[in-house]
């Protein structure tokens, strides 16, 4: 009968041992915007009181929150460590390192371009973070390329790194023939 008097968001950053008032919903309607202080794992509970002050109580020590939310603003770290053309010239072997606390399950995308300014063409995406990939080369691949590695974490942050120099994909095997032999004169 007295309506909704107050809606508060309570939060914890220490696993529920302590809690504090994070926000009051001024219009008493969903959604309730809230700003948090940096990265971390936050636990949140809603406290609703009637117009007469009757209702929920603030969370007590060690009360578990209704929901846990991880805030991650850090991009994954990544680097292309090596590129080699296979001995038969049919594949480019790309080796990389990528790390983050919570990488996406299939976080890696590899792209190539003829120049450092792009445009970039995907050569493989949705790769597991195995640290290497063998790319089958064909006649459509230019003879010199730049590579880009993109790595995504579960929060959607993207780490990117490019090769600093063009990679030469020398796939032609030179051939030679002996056409003649002549003695070298000794003087």
């Amino acid at each position: 009968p007295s309506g909704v008097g107050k809606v508060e968001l309570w939060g914890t950053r220490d696993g529920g041992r302590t809690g504090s008032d994070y926000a009051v919903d001024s219009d008493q309607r969903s959604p309730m915007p809230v700003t948090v202080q940096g990265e971390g794992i936050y636990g949140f509970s809603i406290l609703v009181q009637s117009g007469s002050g009757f209702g929920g109580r603030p969370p007590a020590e060690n009360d578990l929150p209704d929901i846990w939310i991880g805030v991650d603003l850090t991009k994954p770290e990544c680097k292309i460590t090596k590129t080699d053309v296979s001995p038969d010239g049919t594949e480019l072997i790309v080796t990389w390192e990528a790390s983050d606390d919570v990488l996406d399950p299939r976080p890696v995308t590899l792209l190539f371009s003829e120049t450092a300014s792009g445009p970039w063409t995907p050569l493989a995406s949705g790769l597991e973070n195995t640290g290497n990939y063998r790319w089958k080369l064909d006649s459509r691949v230019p003879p010199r390329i730049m590579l880009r590695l993109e790595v995504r974490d579960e929060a959607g942050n993207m780490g990117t790194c490019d090769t600093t120099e063009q990679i030469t994909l020398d796939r032609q095997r030179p051939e030679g023939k002996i056409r003649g032999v002549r003695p070298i004169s000794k003087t």
Side-chain angles (χ1 to χ4, degrees):
S2 64
V4 175
K6 185 170 163 185
V7 178
E8 294 178 308
L9 181 70
W10 282 75
T12 181
R13 288 194 70 184
D14 60 10
R17 288 187 299 277
T18 61
S20 59
D21 187 358
Y22 266 72
V24 175
D25 192 357
S26 57
D27 67 2
Q28 299 171 0
R29 288 179 182 35
S30 182
M32 179 189 307
V34 65
T35 302
V36 296
Q37 300 299 314
E39 295 183 308
I41 304 295
Y42 293 82
F44 291 110
S45 297
I46 242 8
L47 173 75
V48 181
Q49 290 182 346
S50 68
S52 62
F54 183 72
R57 61 169 179 74
E61 184 177 342
N62 295 320
D63 279 355
L64 290 178
D66 298 329
I67 191 169
W68 293 100
I69 297 174
V71 177
D72 178 5
L73 305 171
T74 303
K75 294 178 182 180
E77 293 184 18
C78 62
K79 118 175 135 171
I80 297 171
T81 57
K82 190 175 184 185
T83 59
D84 285 317
V85 176
S86 63
D88 64 1
T90 62
E91 295 179 317
L92 177 66
I93 303 156
V94 182
T95 307
W96 71 84
E97 294 174 358
S99 62
D100 189 85
D101 289 340
V102 279
L103 281 176
D104 194 71
R106 299 182 74 83
V108 175
T109 298
L110 291 167
L111 305 102
F112 76 94
S113 175
E114 290 188 65
T115 66
S117 60
W120 294 94
T121 303
L123 67 96
S125 61
L127 299 174
E128 291 181 10
N129 186 25
T130 60
N132 64 65
Y133 181 76
R134 297 177 80 91
W135 180 27
K136 296 261 188 222
L137 301 172
D138 61 34
S139 61
R140 294 174 290 181
V141 179
R144 289 191 174 93
I145 62 168
M146 302 292 289
L147 276 182
R148 172 171 284 176
L149 171 67
E150 294 179 345
V151 181
R152 186 181 58 255
D153 68 14
E154 287 186 350
N157 301 309
M158 182 81 70
T160 302
C161 72
D162 298 342
T163 52
T164 56
E165 296 180 16
Q166 281 190 318
I167 300 163
T168 301
L169 303 174
D170 195 353
R171 294 168 287 197
Q172 296 187 5
R173 294 186 173 273
E175 294 180 8
K177 290 186 179 188
I178 299 174
R179 292 189 174 190
V181 177
R182 64 181 164 93
I184 299 176
S185 63
K186 294 186 177 182
T187 311

